[in-house]
Amino acid sequence: MNARTEPAEAGPGAPARPPLVRELLLVAGLFLVYKFGRQLATGHTAEAFRNAHRVWDWERALRMPDEGTVQSLLLHGDTLIHTANTYYAVVHFPATAAFLVWLYLRRPAHYVWARRVLAALTGAALVLHLVFPLAPPRMLGATGLIDTARVFGPSVYGPPSTDALSNQFAAMPSLHFGWALMVAIGLIVATRSRWRWLWLLHPLLTLLVIVGTANHYWLDVIVATALLGLALAVLRLPHGPRCAVPHRRRDELRLRTAERQEQLVGAGR
């Protein structure tokens, strides 16, 4: 890493990392609460399918793109669709966890902010899952879409009637996309590399995957984005000494450069 991407040295004004054990317990507790909350939303199959028909009709009324267009692109080859299914199955949680771990180790102030935003987004999503159960497009015959994970693999879901690990009728909002977008935003804010905007490829790929594999509607993505925007507006990144370390590092580099230039000028006299 170079001076534009390397985190600043810890100094007197650098924020202290939250206690590790407390953070592990907090994150684990939030995850368990979310999983338990998702289970509370099970058993609303008829309502979930009624809502699915509504969402599909709303999208057509709004003349939104057909999700089938994205799926047809992925179905051009078995390797491509298998890769998309794998991305959906294995990237979501590890990428978010790695993001939080990196922030905890290298950007403590950004970590606390990101953790709060993710918790707020997930809590809001849980409420919406409870009040608006929604069957994904892969279950709705009217969409004409196929369940690519079931057909091509790998799949993370079993039959909805026997799936005790997840609530498959919690399509709106898409936390796959919401978390991916927050990861990109967090890394863009926390780093200074000129290439940091490439992190937006993560939510872009996630968008194509969740729609192309028929796990989410476009409206699921729009609602997730709106909820994340609201969380970011309410939970702003702290400013001041706690987050001023990168700027102090930049000032130190400028001062050292000026001193070296003065030394070279003095030596040439």
Side-chain angles (χ1 to χ4, degrees):
M1 300 178 74
N2 55 35
R4 296 182 63 83
T5 59
E6 180 67 27
E9 301 290 340
R17 294 189 186 93
L20 179 59
V21 174
R22 188 195 72 182
E23 289 302 310
L24 291 175
L25 291 175
L26 178 59
V27 173
L30 290 173
F31 176 75
L32 291 176
V33 168
Y34 173 68
K35 294 296 288 185
F36 176 72
R38 283 176 68 99
Q39 291 304 311
L40 292 178
T42 59
H44 301 283
T45 303
E47 184 180 0
F49 276 99
R50 285 196 298 270
N51 289 334
H53 282 285
R54 292 190 185 103
V55 168
W56 186 253
D57 291 340
W58 291 342
E59 289 190 346
R60 306 290 75 77
L62 294 172
R63 299 185 181 276
M64 298 182 68
D66 190 343
E67 287 86 348
T69 303
V70 180
Q71 185 170 93
S72 64
L73 294 175
L74 297 181
L75 291 175
H76 279 170
D78 289 357
T79 301
L80 185 59
I81 192 61
H82 184 81
T83 301
N85 292 332
T86 302
Y87 193 95
Y88 179 86
V90 305
V91 173
H92 179 47
F93 281 107
T96 308
F99 164 69
L100 289 174
V101 169
W102 186 85
L103 287 182
Y104 179 85
L105 294 175
R106 311 304 289 269
R107 296 286 196 274
H110 290 80
Y111 163 78
V112 174
W113 164 70
R115 188 247 293 152
R116 289 173 178 170
V117 171
L118 284 172
L121 170 63
T122 305
L126 177 58
V127 172
L128 194 52
H129 293 163
L130 292 171
V131 301
F132 193 79
L134 179 64
R138 58 187 167 82
M139 295 184 184
L140 190 63
T143 66
L145 302 173
I146 66 173
D147 186 343
T148 61
R150 182 179 59 82
V151 175
F152 298 93
S155 177
V156 294
Y157 302 121
S161 58
T162 60
D163 189 354
L165 297 178
S166 60
N167 174 21
Q168 297 188 44
F169 299 113
M172 180 181 288
S174 169
L175 283 179
H176 263 76
F177 182 79
W179 286 14
L181 184 57
M182 181 56 201
V183 168
I185 292 173
L187 290 172
I188 289 171
V189 171
T191 58
R192 291 167 287 158
S193 169
R194 68 181 64 182
W195 304 104
R196 66 187 184 277
W197 295 100
L198 291 177
W199 287 113
L200 290 173
L201 290 175
H202 175 44
L204 176 60
L205 287 174
T206 300
L207 172 62
L208 296 177
V209 164
I210 63 177
V211 173
T213 58
N215 280 290
H216 286 284
Y217 306 89
W218 294 115
L219 282 177
D220 299 340
V221 174
I222 293 173
V223 172
T225 304
L227 290 177
L228 177 59
L230 180 61
L232 290 171
V234 174
L235 301 170
R236 295 181 178 275
L237 179 66
H239 296 288
R242 295 182 64 199
C243 294
V245 178
H247 299 286
R248 183 167 59 251
R249 174 64 173 168
R250 182 173 57 192
D251 292 340
E252 290 175 356
L253 290 173
R254 289 176 177 174
L255 180 59
R256 291 175 185 175
T257 301
E259 290 175 348
R260 289 174 184 172
Q261 289 177 345
E262 290 179 359
Q263 291 174 358
L264 291 174
V265 172
R269 291 176 179 174

